[in-house]
Amino acid sequence: MAGQIRKQADDHRALAMAYAPYIDEIILRQFEKDVEERMKLSQQIISEAKESFDNQLKIQKPDLTVGITSHTDPGPLTILLQDDKGGLQIKHGEEWVDVKPVPGALVINIGDILQIMLNDEYISVEHRVLANSSPEPRISIAVFFSPSERDILYGPFPELKSPEKPACFWQLTYTDYVTRFFTKQLDGKTLVNYYRL
């Protein structure tokens, strides 16, 4: 009896081994078909999402839209690399002036904390970014420098104070400054003036 069971098991194994390549082929074809259908669906979803996103990014009246409202940067320095689309403007007096992109050039902005440390020798620049009117995307790379020591006192450098030019600002911590910066609206230079003596 045991011998007969062993023979049947061997026969079943041989039969399974004979059919295994066909079963593998059927499973592989079905898998490839499923993957192909899912890829088509994924490509369709991605294409529709991109089209929707592109349509949302197209601004109907870019001259009436501001990309980023007027503000100054809180840290000491900001370094900006613009592409050829531009869009950055600085305030000069009461006028907004375009910062024309120059290939390979970097824009260096003095920030509020450096203006305070330099006792008004250099002024942080009020700037804004206009909405992109080009059908092509605009790409800019900005690097924002911030003090690593946030809880020490910052104020005008002693070398930049004198009886003729006393300190223009009281001392502050960068933590206090950044907290105030992010709790106010970006509405120009009011925060630097908050620390002015």
Side-chain angles (χ1 to χ4, degrees):
M1 179 83 155
Q4 189 178 10
I5 293 174
R6 165 118 30 236
K7 182 170 179 342
Q8 285 177 346
D10 288 343
D11 290 345
H12 286 301
R13 184 176 308 123
L15 189 60
M17 294 301 284
Y19 279 104
Y22 301 107
I23 293 170
D24 286 349
E25 183 67 24
I26 291 168
I27 291 171
L28 185 59
R29 274 194 222 141
Q30 186 61 44
F31 177 75
E32 288 173 345
K33 185 179 175 184
D34 287 348
V35 168
E36 186 177 329
E37 287 175 11
R38 288 172 195 241
M39 289 296 288
K40 284 179 185 174
L41 182 60
S42 295
Q43 288 172 347
Q44 180 182 351
I45 290 169
I46 290 169
S47 178
E48 289 172 4
K50 183 181 180 311
E51 184 178 331
S52 172
F53 185 68
D54 287 347
N55 287 336
Q56 289 175 25
L57 288 180
K58 289 179 186 165
I59 297 171
Q60 302 303 318
K61 296 181 180 180
D63 55 322
L64 301 177
T65 306
V66 174
I68 298 177
T69 60
S70 168
H71 66 284
T72 57
D73 295 331
L77 285 175
T78 301
I79 299 177
L80 175 72
L81 176 63
Q82 298 187 86
D83 65 7
D84 61 341
K85 310 289 182 300
L88 177 65
Q89 292 186 326
I90 61 168
K91 194 151 194 189
H92 183 70
E94 295 302 312
E95 300 290 319
W96 286 103
V97 179
D98 291 329
V99 177
K100 301 270 188 231
V102 175
L106 297 173
V107 176
I108 311 291
N109 278 351
I110 300 292
D112 294 343
I113 201 75
L114 191 56
Q115 176 181 344
I116 291 169
M117 293 168 69
L118 295 175
N119 204 32
D120 271 348
E121 288 295 318
Y122 290 94
I123 306 298
S124 61
V125 63
E126 187 176 350
H127 57 283
R128 67 182 183 183
V129 180
L130 298 180
N132 184 13
S133 60
S134 170
E136 297 297 314
R138 175 174 58 207
I139 299 172
S140 298
I141 300 170
V143 178
F144 300 94
F145 290 85
S146 296
S148 57
E149 296 289 335
R150 293 178 172 254
D151 293 319
I152 64 172
L153 290 175
Y154 290 90
F157 290 124
E159 298 84 0
L160 297 176
K161 297 185 291 186
S162 68
E164 297 80 34
K165 179 147 187 194
C168 299
F169 302 95
W170 47 282
Q171 292 186 323
L172 61 130
T173 66
Y174 192 65
T175 299
D176 179 63
Y177 188 87
V178 170
T179 301
R180 290 181 192 281
F181 180 85
F182 286 111
T183 56
K184 74 173 188 73
Q185 295 293 322
L186 295 177
D187 60 356
K189 299 188 60 63
T190 56
L191 192 54
V192 167
N193 291 331
Y194 176 83
Y195 293 96
R196 191 172 292 281
L197 292 172

